Amino acid sequence: MTSIVPAHAVTGPVPATEEGPGEGFDGEGAAPAPLAPRARLFPSLAAVYRAQLSRARVARIPLLFVATFQSVGIMVLMRGVVDGGSEARAVVAGSSVLVVAFVALNLLAQYFGQLRAGGGLDHYATLPVPPASVVLGAAGAYASFTVPGTIVTAVAGSVMFGLPLTHLWVLVAVIPLSGAALSGLGAALGLLAPRQELATLLGQLGMSAALLLGVLPGDRLPTPVGWARDLLPSTYGVEALARSFDAHPDWAVVVLDLAVCAVVGVLSLAVATWAYRRAAVR
């Protein structure tokens, strides 16, 4: 026999769920699912660093060879003019840091200029990563890529000019600090330049300044040029490395030069991060 009594009269009223009636069937009234948490700085930085390093390893090996060959060639040319003393220390130190300037400043300026011109920044802007991780990851990868060429240049120059190899361990501090300062400058130039061609030009000019103002001894330059040399981030890395060639280096001054280089590196990377945010939202 079919009953005409409503079911809820027998079984009682159906309890309403907290989500509201009908939820789970038509989706109306459902609360939006929470978004995934934003990626933290250091994991994002490590991911960008590995990606950039693998890319640079394939694409930049010929250019690194050119940078090393260029620096060694400069020392060979200067060997016929400079015999020793402070001039030889300046030539070797300036040529060694020039490898860092070629890769970390010149190539990074071109890279970010190309990214901005080709719309590559739009890809990074859609990733849930902090802007600082993109800039620091790329800068760290390019700076790390300069290690072999800088070491080869410093050792070759020390042998060529008869300088001691005892304190070349200073490169452990000079390479990352100079690389940070020059990478931040290169990234800022590439991101702030309105056109890709101008970013390339600024990178080339920066590398030329590192060549002319880094290889020549500071006390031989005219006073206005010496002021420009003091403003160049790589100068303090060059000075620290040049002083390490002394028989008894003044380590307090060396540490001071490295500290200045570190401060300039932090400031330049901060400017590059700001420039990245500015370029990514335009």
Side-chain angles (χ1 to χ4, degrees):
M1 179 182 297
T2 304
S3 173
I4 62 173
V5 179
H8 67 81
V10 178
T11 60
V14 179
T17 60
E18 294 181 358
E19 289 81 359
E23 185 174 348
F25 295 92
D26 57 6
E28 294 182 0
L35 297 176
R38 188 176 181 85
R40 296 191 302 271
L41 173 63
F42 290 105
S44 303
L45 173 60
V48 174
Y49 174 82
R50 289 193 299 267
Q52 290 291 337
L53 192 62
S54 62
R55 177 186 180 277
R57 188 183 299 117
V58 176
R60 304 304 182 188
I61 286 180
L63 294 175
L64 178 62
F65 175 79
V66 171
T68 306
F69 183 79
Q70 171 185 262
S71 295
V72 173
I74 290 173
M75 292 189 299
V76 172
L77 292 176
M78 296 298 293
R79 185 65 181 86
V81 180
V82 176
D83 293 331
S86 61
E87 292 85 359
R89 294 192 291 270
V91 168
V92 176
S95 299
S96 300
V97 178
L98 180 62
V99 179
V100 183
F102 183 87
V103 177
L105 193 160
N106 183 26
L107 296 185
L108 197 59
Q110 296 182 32
Y111 172 70
F112 274 108
Q114 180 182 4
L115 274 184
R116 181 179 179 183
L121 291 180
D122 298 336
H123 166 70
Y124 283 108
T126 59
L127 298 178
V129 296
S133 64
V134 178
V135 175
L136 294 177
Y142 275 73
S144 300
F145 198 60
T146 65
V147 173
T150 305
I151 293 176
V152 169
T153 302
V155 172
S158 299
V159 174
M160 191 182 305
F161 286 91
L163 300 176
L165 301 173
T166 308
H167 301 126
L168 276 185
W169 55 263
V170 174
L171 287 173
V172 175
V174 170
I175 293 176
L177 295 179
S178 299
L182 293 173
S183 295
L185 179 60
L189 292 176
L191 291 167
L192 294 175
R195 294 192 302 169
Q196 179 181 355
E197 296 80 8
L198 186 56
T200 301
L201 175 62
L202 292 175
Q204 292 284 350
L205 290 176
M207 187 196 68
S208 300
L211 167 62
L212 297 176
L213 301 180
V215 174
L216 299 177
D219 55 358
R220 300 294 182 88
L221 298 175
T223 301
V225 180
W227 293 341
R229 184 176 184 269
D230 293 337
L231 296 176
L232 192 65
S234 60
T235 297
Y236 304 96
V238 172
E239 291 293 335
L241 182 58
R243 288 189 172 93
S244 68
F245 289 122
D246 294 338
H248 302 285
D250 189 346
W251 294 114
V253 180
V254 172
V255 171
L256 180 61
D257 287 330
L258 293 176
V260 173
C261 195
V263 171
V264 174
V266 171
L267 294 177
S268 64
L269 289 172
V271 172
T273 302
W274 169 81
Y276 170 79
R277 290 195 183 99
R278 178 176 178 270
V281 300
R282 294 186 64 179

